Amino acid sequence: YRFLSQTVTSMAAPMAKGWRCLGSSSRCFSLRKKPICTTPTRRLSGSAGGGLLSSLSKRGVLKDAFPEQAAQTQLPELLQAGGQTVYCGFDPTADSLHAGNLLALVGLLHFRAAGHHVIALIGGATARIGDPSGKATEREPLSAEAVEVNVGGIRSGLQRVIANHELYFSGEPQTLGTVTVLDNSSWYRGWDVVAFMSEVGRHFRMGTMLSRQSVQTRLKSAEGMSLTEFTYQLFQAYDFYHLNQHHGCRIQLGGTDQLGNLMSGHNLIQKVTGEEVFGLTVPLITSSTGDKLGKTAGNAVWLNRDRMSPFEFYQFFLRQPDSHVERYLKLYTFLPLPEVGHLMEQHHQEPEKRSAQKRLAAEVTKLVHGKEGLDSAKRCTSALYHSSLRALEQMSDEELQELFREAPFCELLLEPGTTVLDACCQANAIPEGARGYQMVTDGGVWINHSRVTTPEQVLIPGQHILTNGLTLIRIGKRNFYIIKWLNLYGQEQ
């Protein structure tokens, strides 16, 4: 592992082979006519050229290419000639990536698996500008402190997914390209607005900038568009230029709503260097109601565990309707297309088994949360939906609290002779007195998935208290309460 900055030595996941994480980079204070660096290349197999693009198109991972003619003729040859550098940006407007970002990251990983070098660019600077693409109103401004926290969350999420891909899905490690994680704030630090506009702004034309769909949409809205948002395309274009100069990057990957920004970067590099570069887009992922999955819509499927547990993440993909599952298998997994076809044949024969959804959920959860995260999701699924006591006993306190996120969690001392009624009252699951007593006798209380109807029943280890010292109380259908008995083992002795 190579660390080029001490600012990123603390990581949430182990770094994968070929990683480079840069917290800072040499600053470029003027636009040069020719690239100042090239990426070492080696000739790749045909699958790395037209075959790779064709495969990604068949999977649905790639949607549009710019410029269209050059992308059809020159890009396949470029990819086949040797390892190229591909980048995708992730603005840290939250402290976690989500399922929409994941598809772009999966696209990068496909390129890496084909031997190309990939850059995941965290927009520590551009997050403070705010991308207007796909937004009806301007983003709330983020403080420098908030952005710094978000950058850390995004970086750990990127590292974890890339490490999991290399560990579980990449095949031969020696065929992988390198991975570099950058933060664009490193090359804007020290630049003043006059210098930036003098060096970069002169290469942009107002007519072209105003014609972008994201700009047109906002200008027609009641709120309009601020100058800050309007300049966003300059910054993203310069990011592409900077990576082209310092890392030999000639391909940018982004969502379909980023096409205008990709075009701006292409035009800037063409004007300054004369070099042909390319933009590729991945489709936007929408819910069953047609809404974009993301932070703005309020339906984000988060990748970081502190935002969404592996169980909740697993369940999102497990619950996909039949109409979506084949598409998602192609988009989000690395299963070969023939295997996807075979899975769908089995699914059509026995749709009630939901084998395709189970495979989808397992593959994507393993990519995002690793094998431990997938095991956790399966344990939680068994405990909640299959009333498995064994799964409950194997669950950690963290898993139990994730599974029953809204459930009160209390730690109690187990006194000799503690009854069902005592436990329920101490957990505030039922009211004290006659009303709580009747709730138990009427059959409205379950302990560890079993109905209890005798309030005076003394708690029995192994039945009412699991081997991990936990008791799960359910009142009615959906109200859960969790007790952690602190002195269980002392009582047993």
Side-chain angles (χ1 to χ4, degrees):
Y1 308 144
R2 290 180 291 167
F3 295 85
L4 304 188
S5 169
Q6 293 184 356
T7 62
V8 294
T9 56
S10 175
M11 287 183 264
M15 294 186 68
K17 180 180 179 181
W19 273 75
R20 293 187 298 163
C21 281
L22 287 74
S24 61
S25 177
S26 56
R27 297 172 189 157
C28 183
F29 289 94
S30 63
L31 300 184
R32 303 171 184 266
K33 292 295 182 183
K34 292 183 180 180
I36 60 175
C37 79
T38 57
T39 302
T41 62
R42 54 185 171 84
R43 189 162 187 85
L44 304 173
S45 65
S47 63
L52 173 61
L53 296 176
S54 176
S55 173
L56 294 180
S57 295
K58 290 178 181 178
R59 300 186 77 95
V61 174
L62 293 185
K63 185 173 177 61
D64 299 306
F66 180 86
E68 185 176 357
Q69 186 61 39
Q72 291 179 355
T73 57
Q74 299 178 35
L75 184 55
E77 295 178 358
L78 180 69
L79 291 171
Q80 192 170 345
Q84 301 302 314
T85 301
V86 186
Y87 105 90
C88 184
F90 304 91
D91 273 356
T93 52
D95 59 3
S96 172
L97 298 172
H98 53 76
N101 305 131
L102 180 60
L103 183 56
L105 182 52
V106 166
L108 281 183
L109 295 174
H110 276 292
F111 276 97
R112 188 191 181 206
H116 300 290
H117 312 295
V118 300
I119 297 174
L121 178 64
I122 304 174
T126 42
R128 300 192 67 187
I129 303 297
D131 185 2
S133 302
K135 303 293 182 293
T137 58
E138 187 168 6
R139 294 181 184 272
E140 288 293 323
L142 292 171
S143 66
E145 294 75 17
V147 170
E148 184 178 357
V149 171
N150 291 349
V151 166
I154 298 297
R155 181 183 288 120
S156 67
L158 288 168
Q159 292 167 350
R160 186 181 64 255
V161 173
I162 295 171
N164 287 336
H165 171 259
E166 181 169 328
L167 184 60
Y168 301 115
F169 301 102
S170 63
E172 297 297 328
Q174 61 267 26
T175 65
L176 295 173
T178 61
V179 179
T180 305
V181 177
L182 296 168
D183 181 348
N184 66 7
S185 63
S186 64
W187 53 79
Y188 291 112
R189 193 176 298 119
W191 243 20
D192 61 54
V193 65
V194 174
F196 181 79
M197 294 306 296
S198 175
E199 293 289 346
V200 180
R202 68 179 63 254
H203 295 283
F204 290 80
R205 293 296 173 263
M206 288 295 297
T208 303
M209 294 177 69
L210 287 166
S211 70
R212 302 298 186 211
Q213 183 178 354
S214 60
V215 175
Q216 286 291 309
T217 301
R218 290 294 300 280
L219 289 178
K220 293 175 182 177
S221 68
E223 182 176 313
M225 171 179 265
S226 71
L227 177 62
T228 301
E229 288 183 298
F230 184 64
T231 62
Y232 184 90
Q233 54 186 298
L234 273 72
F235 288 90
Q236 184 165 330
Y238 181 76
D239 286 344
F240 196 0
Y241 168 82
H242 181 94
L243 295 176
N244 173 262
Q245 295 289 288
H246 290 269
H247 298 272
C249 180
R250 297 183 63 182
I251 304 167
Q252 180 181 177
L253 195 65
T256 54
D257 58 350
Q258 295 294 308
L259 184 58
N261 294 331
L262 269 63
M263 294 167 70
S264 295
H266 170 273
N267 293 343
L268 176 62
I269 294 171
Q270 278 254 298
K271 285 181 180 180
V272 177
T273 72
E275 185 178 25
E276 186 66 273
V277 294
F278 306 91
L280 300 173
T281 67
V282 299
L284 296 179
I285 302 300
T286 58
S287 66
S288 56
T289 59
D291 296 323
K292 176 183 173 182
L293 290 181
K295 300 180 293 293
T296 305
N299 58 356
V301 180
W302 300 105
L303 306 194
N304 284 9
R305 185 166 188 161
D306 56 356
R307 283 274 197 163
M308 175 176 277
S309 70
F311 164 74
E312 293 170 305
F313 186 84
Y314 178 87
Q315 287 295 318
F316 170 79
F317 287 97
L318 186 64
R319 292 171 181 169
Q320 289 304 309
D322 289 350
S323 57
H324 286 185
V325 65
E326 181 174 8
R327 179 174 181 244
Y328 281 13
L329 279 166
K330 293 177 179 179
L331 289 176
Y332 281 111
T333 79
F334 298 93
L335 297 174
L337 290 179
E339 187 171 350
V340 173
H342 180 64
L343 268 173
M344 292 311 300
E345 287 179 7
Q346 292 180 321
H347 176 73
H348 293 318
Q349 292 173 1
E350 298 178 296
E352 69 280 0
K353 291 186 175 181
R354 298 182 66 80
S355 57
Q357 282 90 343
K358 290 177 182 177
R359 185 65 181 276
L360 169 67
E363 293 285 316
V364 186
T365 304
K366 194 174 184 179
L367 174 66
V368 172
H369 292 289
K371 185 178 183 301
E372 289 184 2
L374 175 58
D375 291 342
S376 172
K378 289 183 175 180
R379 275 195 300 272
C380 291
T381 298
S382 296
L384 185 61
Y385 297 117
H386 304 294
S387 300
S388 171
L389 283 181
R390 181 180 180 185
L392 273 176
E393 289 179 326
Q394 292 175 340
M395 290 170 64
S396 66
D397 293 0
E398 179 186 27
E399 289 174 341
L400 208 58
Q401 291 181 70
E402 287 176 343
L403 178 59
F404 305 102
R405 192 175 292 275
E406 304 301 323
F409 185 96
C410 62
E411 296 180 330
L412 300 175
L413 294 175
L414 180 61
E415 301 291 343
T418 300
T419 65
V420 166
L421 184 64
D422 295 333
C424 292
C425 289
Q426 290 178 51
N428 293 318
I430 61 174
E432 295 184 357
R435 185 182 171 197
Y437 189 95
Q438 186 174 355
M439 288 175 66
V440 179
T441 57
D442 287 348
V445 177
W446 283 257
I447 292 183
N448 297 336
H449 295 313
S450 296
R451 190 192 301 268
V452 290
T453 57
T454 306
E456 299 86 357
Q457 171 68 60
V458 175
L459 298 183
I460 302 173
Q463 179 181 342
H464 302 113
I465 304 173
L466 302 178
T467 55
N468 55 0
L470 296 173
T471 294
L472 178 66
I473 300 172
R474 175 164 64 90
I475 308 299
K477 291 184 177 180
R478 298 182 179 178
N479 298 313
F480 291 92
Y481 300 81
I482 303 167
I483 299 175
K484 174 74 171 181
W485 300 104
L486 297 179
N487 58 334
L488 174 64
Y489 299 108
Q491 287 289 326
E492 289 178 343
Q493 291 173 356

